[in-house]
Amino acid sequence: RVSGDYGQIVTNPPYGERLLDKEQAKDLRRRIRFALSELEYRILDLYLSGYSYAEIAEKIGKTPKSVDNALRRLKDKLKKIL
């Protein structure tokens, strides 16, 4: 199929490459889970799900500033493992 404005042909990767990608993704999720605290991991999940700082704060019973601080910490941690 054609993708974007460049007329590039997009093909499905061979099964082996998809499997490797799944394994890499699984390993990355494991490393992220290990690097983050329970609170940071929950905040990351909510943030990636599209919640605002205020909505996350309300869901976890913290202030928006606490959410901001946790996101800053977890971003620094993620930079180290990526």
Side-chain angles (χ1 to χ4, degrees), residues 36 38-51 56 71 74:
L36 302 180
E38 190 70 33
L39 176 64
E40 290 166 343
Y41 190 77
R42 184 164 182 219
I43 289 172
L44 176 62
D45 182 52
L46 292 168
Y47 180 74
L48 293 176
S49 295
Y51 289 93
I56 296 170
L71 282 167
L74 73 87

Side-chain angles (χ1 to χ4, degrees), residues 1-10:
R1 83 178 185 231
V2 177
S3 172
D5 296 332
Y6 304 105
Q8 297 173 333
I9 302 298
V10 177

Side-chain angles (χ1 to χ4, degrees), residues 5 9 12 16 20 26 39 41 43 55 57 61 63-64 66 69 74 79-81:
D5 296 332
I9 302 298
N12 290 328
L20 182 61
K26 185 178 177 180
L39 176 64
Y41 190 77
I43 289 172
E55 291 169 327
T63 65
S66 293
N69 290 341
L74 73 87
K79 284 178 189 176
K80 291 178 184 177
I81 65 170

Side-chain angles (χ1 to χ4, degrees), residues 62-78:
K62 302 283 185 182
T63 65
K65 182 61 180 166
S66 293
V67 171
D68 179 61
N69 290 341
L71 282 167
R72 288 180 189 274
R73 280 192 314 272
L74 73 87
K75 287 176 185 178
D76 287 340
K77 290 178 180 181
L78 293 177

